[in-house]
Amino acid sequence: MKRCNFCGNTCPDNANYCDNCRQPFAQQTPPPYGNPGQQQQYSQQYSYNPQPAYDRNNAFDEGPEGKSRGVAALLAIFLGGLGVQYFYLGKVTGGLLTILLTIVTCGLWEVLTLIQGILMFCMSNEDFRRKYVLSTSTLPLF
């Protein structure tokens, strides 16, 4: 005998609808093998969690924009004179200005981008996102 979930009426096992309220019976799957409580506990314990744990001090932690502080800092240290860190952050005008300033200053501008890369490593992820990713500034330097 089936029991209706809506009205509580009992119906024959071969019925597709409740005789009293005409609600359809849901297709029931057989219970899993073993102890159901144990299986539920197992599935909760080993369930997949797509959200990684947030680590404030992780230099390579990416924000929702997908811009990593560590990658931007390494680009500023090694290729800062070419403005690659600004192109990576989506600030094309800043990258072009960096190339121009590096040419005009005969490479001295690269010292400032080296310092910028070191400071990127030292700042928190929130400060990095606020200053470089979310900022509307064309050429955020320090």
Side-chain angles (χ1 to χ4, degrees):
M1 299 295 289
K2 290 183 181 178
R3 181 171 293 273
C4 178
N5 291 335
F6 295 98
C7 67
N9 187 30
T10 55
C11 298
D13 286 335
N14 61 354
N16 292 331
Y17 295 94
C18 175
D19 294 335
N20 187 27
C21 65
R22 303 300 299 162
Q23 292 291 329
F25 287 112
Q27 293 290 339
Q28 294 185 357
T29 58
Y33 293 107
N35 185 0
Q38 182 182 11
Q39 191 153 11
Q40 183 180 7
Q41 178 185 7
Y42 178 82
S43 65
Q44 288 175 354
Q45 183 180 3
Y46 296 105
S47 63
Y48 174 70
N49 184 8
Q51 297 292 334
Y54 180 72
D55 183 9
R56 176 182 166 92
N57 298 320
N58 187 358
F60 296 97
D61 186 29
E62 294 184 3
E65 296 84 13
K67 304 301 179 193
S68 172
R69 177 174 58 125
V71 172
L74 288 173
L75 290 173
I77 290 171
F78 293 114
L79 300 171
L82 300 174
V84 178
Q85 73 274 20
Y86 290 115
F87 291 116
Y88 173 73
L89 295 172
K91 300 189 180 300
V92 178
T93 308
L96 295 174
L97 284 173
T98 302
I99 293 172
L100 181 68
L101 287 170
T102 302
I103 293 171
V104 169
T105 61
C106 298
L108 289 176
W109 187 257
E110 290 185 29
V111 175
L112 290 175
T113 60
L114 173 74
I115 295 169
Q116 178 188 28
I118 294 170
L119 289 176
M120 280 182 186
F121 267 127
C122 296
M123 67 177 47
S124 69
N125 288 328
E126 292 87 12
D127 291 339
F128 171 77
R129 285 186 64 240
R130 182 177 36 80
K131 185 167 191 143
Y132 293 104
V133 179
L134 302 176
S135 171
T136 58
S137 175
T138 305
L139 187 70
L141 193 57
F142 299 117

